[in-house]
Amino acid sequence: MDDFEAAFWPDESPVDNAVVMTMGALHEGHAALIRAARKQVGREGRVAVTVFVNPLQFGPSEDLDRYPRTLDADVRLAEENGADVVFAPSVEEVYPNGEPQVRLTAGPMGDRFEGATRPGHFDGVLTVVAKLLHITDPDFAFFGEKDAQQLAVIQRMVADLDFDVEVVGVPTVREEDGLALSSRNRYLSEEERSHALALSRALFAGRDVAAQGPKAVREAAAAVLDGAEGVTLDYLALIDPHDFSEAADDFQGEAVLAVAAKVGSTRLIDNVRIIVR
């Protein structure tokens, strides 16, 4: 990994460096992150894309072995969208002594919503993100807003532990019909994909009544999901983005309306950022 640092950041020149961290199976959402990173650092800056399927963030019954691995296509997409280098280490390179004994914890923010469904998930995310930030040493790190809780805990880690990097969130990229892009969408059958549209429709329904307050937002979103065919709801929540707690009934300001559900055997997440009045 030291060789990577020397190769990618070869001198002390004043150009900016950026990293886009991924688990591969790249799609247009990742392409948007790479383009945003390139725009941020300019033509002379450097953009790295990391591709690493991190075992620490998968639970024992989750899809680690099934998770798609498409490195050749990932490299092409990264290059076409402005990356200078793709760093795709093996598990043995990232964790040379086996599973790390010392890990970061996401604290209370990591125990809610996604963390409640997937215990330890965000501890695994933060541990590998911290390692990759040390390895790539960027000025900017780009993450998608689709993984809203992940973005929030990474931003909190950077602030709490004084990482010298600016974390930049990039808006969710959607298909024309509203479905949020996800590497897991490839698991959906045509019928399941149609059912999955209920998630974004629910979020948009809540967003449309944001001026009427938290209760109206929750009710409008829930009305779309109630009885939605093929959808098994995990949670629908209006969230205070500062600590990722459930927003109170009198909450006002920026909030995250988030949903998680299984469609068939595939678990999907989505969210929209709204201003509640």
Side-chain angles (χ1 to χ4, degrees):
M1 293 185 192
D2 290 339
D3 292 340
F4 170 79
E5 292 183 60
F8 190 58
W9 318 135
D11 53 42
E12 299 273 340
S13 59
V15 299
D16 286 331
N17 305 312
V19 65
V20 176
M21 296 185 191
T22 82
M23 292 207 304
L26 304 188
H27 49 64
E28 180 56 29
H30 298 105
L33 294 174
I34 299 166
R35 292 194 297 268
R38 171 55 63 197
K39 182 177 180 180
Q40 177 68 53
V41 302
R43 292 175 57 188
E44 301 303 318
R46 303 184 182 104
V47 175
V49 174
T50 67
V51 175
F52 180 63
V53 182
N54 176 33
L56 295 190
Q57 66 194 71
F58 286 79
S61 62
E62 294 183 338
D63 58 351
L64 173 61
D65 293 334
R66 184 180 172 220
Y67 196 86
R69 291 159 171 84
T70 57
L71 183 58
D72 290 344
D74 295 343
V75 171
R76 288 194 297 272
L77 183 145
E79 181 180 12
E80 290 168 358
N81 287 277
D84 295 289
V85 64
V86 173
F87 180 47
S90 67
V91 172
E92 291 73 24
E93 287 178 286
V94 176
Y95 304 120
N97 300 310
E99 288 198 7
Q101 297 299 299
V102 177
R103 308 186 189 193
L104 290 176
T105 176
M109 285 181 69
D111 293 335
R112 302 168 183 139
F113 303 110
E114 286 300 291
T117 299
R118 309 173 69 188
H121 169 72
F122 288 114
D123 296 351
V125 169
L126 292 187
T127 298
V128 78
V129 168
K131 287 177 70 74
L132 292 173
L133 286 175
H134 287 311
I135 293 164
T136 59
D137 191 26
D139 300 290
F140 303 93
F142 287 76
F143 296 90
E145 291 182 355
K146 176 179 169 292
D147 294 301
Q149 191 169 2
Q150 172 179 279
L151 175 60
V153 297
I154 291 171
Q155 289 173 325
R156 188 60 182 260
M157 175 190 74
V158 164
D160 285 354
L161 301 184
D162 298 313
F163 278 73
D164 187 19
V165 62
E166 180 178 340
V167 176
V168 182
V170 177
T172 300
V173 178
R174 299 182 180 276
E175 301 279 7
E176 289 186 5
D177 57 11
L179 184 68
L181 293 185
S182 169
S183 299
R184 289 187 169 94
N185 287 352
R186 67 187 63 199
Y187 299 152
L188 300 171
S189 68
E190 184 176 347
E191 182 180 27
E192 289 169 344
R193 190 191 180 286
S194 176
H195 294 161
L197 294 177
L199 275 63
S200 56
R201 286 201 301 267
L203 297 178
F204 299 157
R207 182 184 61 188
D208 289 345
V209 297
Q212 299 176 34
K215 182 179 179 181
V217 170
R218 293 186 178 104
E219 289 179 349
V224 175
L225 291 170
D226 284 347
E229 185 178 1
V231 175
T232 303
L233 185 65
D234 184 349
Y235 62 79
L236 172 68
L238 184 65
I239 297 166
D240 183 337
H242 298 99
D243 60 2
F244 244 73
S245 62
E246 185 85 37
D249 289 342
D250 60 351
F251 180 90
Q252 292 187 332
E254 182 180 4
V256 175
L257 180 60
V259 64
K262 272 195 170 183
V263 180
S265 63
T266 302
R267 188 172 184 276
L268 301 175
I269 62 173
D270 198 357
N271 72 87
V272 292
R273 293 172 182 265
I274 63 177
I275 303 297
V276 181
R277 304 296 185 189

